[in-house]
Amino acid sequence: MKIRILLTAMAALAAAGATAQSAVDAYSVTPSELRGTARFVGMGGAFTSVGGDLSTLGQNPAGIGIYRRSEVGATVNISARNYSTATPTMKIDRDNTKFYFDNIGYVGTANLGNNATLRSFSWGVSYSRLSSFERLGHGYNGTTDGSMTNYIASFTNGTNAADLSLGGKYNPYFDSDCDWMSILAYNAYMINGDGVYNDKYKGLYGNNTVGDAEYTFRESGHVDEYNIDFGGNISDVFYWGIGFGILDMEYNRQVYYSESMDKADIYTLPSQRTVEGSADWAMNNSKWISGTGFNVKFGVIFRPIEMLRIGAAIHTPTWYSLNHQGGATVNYDYYNPGAPESTNPDTQNPLKGNDYTGDENNMLYSYDSRLNAPWRFMVGASLYIGPRAIVSLDYERVAYDAMRVKSQSGYYGLNFESNEYVNSDIKNYYKGANIVRLGAEYRVTPRFSVRAGYNYQTSGVKDAARNGDIEVVTAGTDLSYNFTNTTQNISFGLGYRYKAWYIDATYSWRHRTGSFHAYTDYAGIRAPKADLTENNHNVVLSTGFRF
């Protein structure tokens, strides 16, 4: 069954029964991006052992132990993005430009004396935009191997048709635990009974069917983090820090998907059988996920000799409290060439006519869940070549396969229990991702610096899920999903210092690849799919004062 019944809550929570959080949702709301101050981005984010920058409050809190003076600063980002959606027969490009306020922070430092063991103590607060969910795509598959309707029929088998049908005071969305996609598809005639059994279904794609598919998706939203950090300097050799992060997350996804088929198996009344005709249908899905989270970060930096620094940090999972909302509408148009012409089909039995159209929508769902976002662990080393140059290297591990989900349970859903279905899917679909960061800075003059950086991130998706070797389960009525492949960032930056004031500018190019899946591959049938490529050109500007 594609969209599993994941909740046991009663009464007001019955509507959430078939729409609970999925592994796909968990991955979608926990991205990792290179964002921060212009200096941080300019050096590829390789600051685990460098410190001394406002962005380190969200990376390695020991970085504020490097400070010997206080600092206040802010960062803005102008982002121009190009999105490419490619299928075997077509490539479509879309452009989008956004302005972001990426960072503002303050670090205060108390110097305790060079003769003291704890030579300085620092504290800091910052706001950072960790991720932006902006992404869009539009694709067309001129020939399909099957239909989403056949896939829905496959996981609806075994459900009594009377439990799916809307009528009178009975509302299956609230009065049953049936899958919401099954209910919507049945009432929009996307799946039909076989005329013999009440719990066997077939989709619109038959032996002679020829069809195509078109789709548009758009994602938006953000993850913002508010950090409170404390750190210190022990004998100019060992630096420590602890940070507390409060996160605000909002994720929006809208997906339009349509199929057009000739010689489709369409349902007719009163014969209660299927005949060959044409079928056109389109579904609009909307999904909103929002919530807040909390995490703790621990970090150290060790300087065994003047020219070498070694750093490490660990981030606990972000413990999210999330709310999910969404709904879908289906518009359909079916044509039976063998039926008598009818200019006024029976409104009670619209399938008696030869050409019938309509629309169907489900109820708007709303429910809560809990998510433990991935652990993060990072190590880094930096080499200081005289007073002018820094070269730094970082490695980070993001444990996507360790994410965990809890769903509402108990009377009125007042409790949250581990959702073993979703947690099993997380292990099946995802793996740990690796991030490598390389950065360099050279001080041309005491006031002017140049920087360069490279950042590479592997995918957190297992090959079996990406290649369609296993079924990918979603939640609600949106059967589509996106998977990311690799992400690369190349950056170049400049910095200028004048007394206590500084200004930094960085250009960063991000290249990210991935894929859009209209629904999961199943039973040897390949669902419509498109390759996604994103080229993101960022201009990052930071300014601030040290005092």
Side-chain angles (χ1 to χ4, degrees):
M1 184 173 179
K2 177 61 172 64
I3 307 175
R4 301 188 182 102
I5 309 305
L6 301 176
L7 302 182
T8 58
M10 300 173 64
L13 291 175
T19 56
Q21 166 95 322
S22 70
V24 171
D25 288 337
Y27 183 73
S28 297
V29 302
T30 53
S32 179
E33 290 187 356
L34 175 61
R35 302 180 82 107
T37 66
R39 185 180 181 225
F40 181 86
V41 175
M43 294 179 63
F47 268 73
T48 301
S49 62
V50 175
D53 186 271
L54 292 175
S55 289
T56 63
L57 275 74
Q59 187 189 60
N60 183 356
I64 69 170
I66 300 293
Y67 278 91
R68 302 306 294 265
R69 293 191 294 169
S70 300
E71 178 181 343
V72 61
T75 299
V76 296
N77 179 2
I78 302 171
S79 178
R81 303 187 180 193
N82 173 264
Y83 307 91
S84 175
T85 309
T87 66
T89 58
M90 183 177 295
K91 179 180 178 182
I92 301 174
D93 289 314
R94 295 287 187 269
D95 295 310
N96 185 325
T97 300
K98 293 280 188 177
F99 175 87
Y100 299 101
F101 186 79
D102 268 6
N103 179 275
I104 186 170
Y106 162 78
V107 171
T109 299
N111 290 303
L112 305 178
N114 292 332
N115 294 324
T117 301
L118 181 62
R119 296 188 175 178
S120 66
F121 177 78
S122 299
W123 59 94
V125 294
S126 69
Y127 156 83
S128 298
R129 173 141 295 185
L130 296 185
S131 302
S132 172
F133 293 119
E134 294 292 336
R135 178 182 274 192
L136 54 90
H138 179 202
Y140 174 76
N141 286 68
T143 302
T144 58
D145 296 331
S147 167
M148 181 187 288
T149 63
N150 292 52
Y151 174 56
I152 298 170
S154 73
F155 64 74
T156 307
N157 283 330
T159 304
N160 193 294
D163 295 333
L164 297 172
S165 181
L166 287 160
K169 294 182 178 180
Y170 176 73
N171 185 335
Y173 293 110
F174 287 97
D175 300 331
S176 78
D177 61 358
C178 295
D179 190 287
W180 276 37
M181 188 69 256
S182 298
I183 299 170
L184 182 61
Y186 182 80
N187 288 282
Y189 308 106
M190 296 160 62
I191 61 173
N192 305 293
D194 62 3
V196 179
Y197 301 99
N198 290 327
D199 61 353
K200 302 294 184 183
Y201 302 91
K202 60 191 302 186
L204 297 171
Y205 201 96
N207 294 330
N208 301 315
T209 303
V210 178
D212 58 23
E214 185 176 4
Y215 38 87
T216 299
F217 72 89
R218 184 177 192 118
E219 295 176 320
S220 61
H222 61 266
V223 179
D224 292 341
E225 184 173 36
Y226 303 85
N227 287 291
I228 303 173
D229 286 24
F230 303 93
N233 170 2
I234 299 177
S235 302
D236 288 330
V237 174
F238 183 81
Y239 306 86
W240 61 271
I242 182 172
F244 304 93
I246 301 170
L247 290 90
D248 171 68
M249 189 275 293
E250 180 180 316
Y251 172 78
N252 306 310
R253 180 178 173 90
Q254 286 79 41
V255 180
Y256 167 88
Y257 178 77
S258 68
E259 293 181 347
S260 180
M261 289 168 276
D262 291 325
K263 296 184 179 181
D265 288 346
I266 61 173
Y267 196 59
T268 62
L269 290 174
S271 64
Q272 294 186 346
R273 63 185 180 90
T274 57
V275 298
E276 281 194 354
S278 64
D280 296 276
W281 65 271
M283 180 165 58
N284 284 285
N285 261 290
S286 296
K287 177 189 296 184
W288 306 276
I289 304 175
S290 61
T292 57
F294 175 78
N295 64 36
V296 184
K297 308 174 186 70
F298 304 93
V300 295
I301 295 174
F302 177 56
R303 189 172 69 167
I305 57 176
E306 183 71 23
M307 65 184 301
L308 177 65
R309 293 181 188 176
I310 300 170
I314 188 168
H315 298 191
T316 69
T318 298
W319 297 286
Y320 274 114
S321 176
L322 302 177
N323 175 257
H324 306 248
Q325 298 184 45
T329 299
V330 172
N331 301 100
Y332 57 84
D333 185 355
Y334 306 120
Y335 177 72
N336 176 6
E341 293 286 341
S342 175
T343 58
N344 185 24
D346 187 336
T347 57
Q348 297 301 313
N349 295 303
L351 301 183
K352 287 183 178 180
N354 69 324
D355 189 5
Y356 44 98
T357 62
D359 59 77
E360 189 67 40
N361 62 277
N362 65 7
M363 308 297 292
L364 182 69
Y365 63 79
S366 179
Y367 62 92
D368 297 327
S369 74
R370 301 291 184 263
L371 168 64
N372 291 357
W375 282 85
R376 296 175 181 268
F377 174 75
M378 62 197 73
V379 293
S382 53
L383 188 64
Y384 286 71
I385 306 170
R388 289 180 175 266
I390 305 171
V391 178
S392 58
L393 176 67
D394 281 9
Y395 168 76
E396 180 177 346
R397 180 75 171 179
V398 186
Y400 287 110
D401 51 342
M403 294 186 295
R404 292 296 179 265
V405 168
K406 291 183 179 181
S407 296
Q408 288 175 282
S409 65
Y411 194 75
Y412 292 115
L414 298 179
N415 301 319
F416 289 86
E417 295 182 357
S418 178
N419 192 317
E420 296 308 319
Y421 289 114
V422 175
N423 294 334
S424 176
D425 288 340
I426 289 172
K427 292 183 178 180
N428 290 334
Y429 306 162
Y430 302 115
K431 61 184 179 180
N434 303 306
I435 303 175
V436 177
R437 300 185 284 260
L438 178 64
E441 180 180 66
Y442 181 73
R443 185 172 294 177
V444 181
T445 71
R447 293 183 179 179
F448 180 69
S449 301
V450 295
R451 307 178 182 109
Y454 179 72
N455 184 299
Y456 180 84
Q457 179 174 345
T458 64
S459 174
V461 182
K462 290 184 176 180
D463 290 341
R466 187 197 323 280
N467 298 334
D469 298 331
I470 59 176
E471 183 184 20
V472 175
V473 178
T474 61
T477 52
D478 181 10
L479 304 186
S480 71
Y481 52 93
N482 292 7
F483 280 153
T484 56
N485 295 334
T486 59
T487 303
Q488 297 184 71
N489 294 269
I490 299 174
S491 53
F492 302 95
L494 304 173
Y496 181 77
R497 302 287 186 270
Y498 180 73
K499 296 183 179 180
W501 172 72
Y502 67 85
I503 184 168
D504 298 314
T506 291
Y507 165 77
S508 173
W509 173 68
R510 182 177 71 182
H511 178 75
R512 180 170 65 176
T513 60
S515 55
F516 169 85
H517 303 253
Y519 53 96
T520 187
D521 298 338
Y522 77 103
I525 303 299
R526 294 299 185 185
K529 174 187 172 183
D531 294 325
L532 306 177
T533 302
E534 176 186 339
N535 288 295
N536 185 0
H537 303 273
N538 293 305
V539 176
V540 186
L541 301 173
S542 297
T543 188
F545 295 88
R546 289 195 171 186
F547 52 93

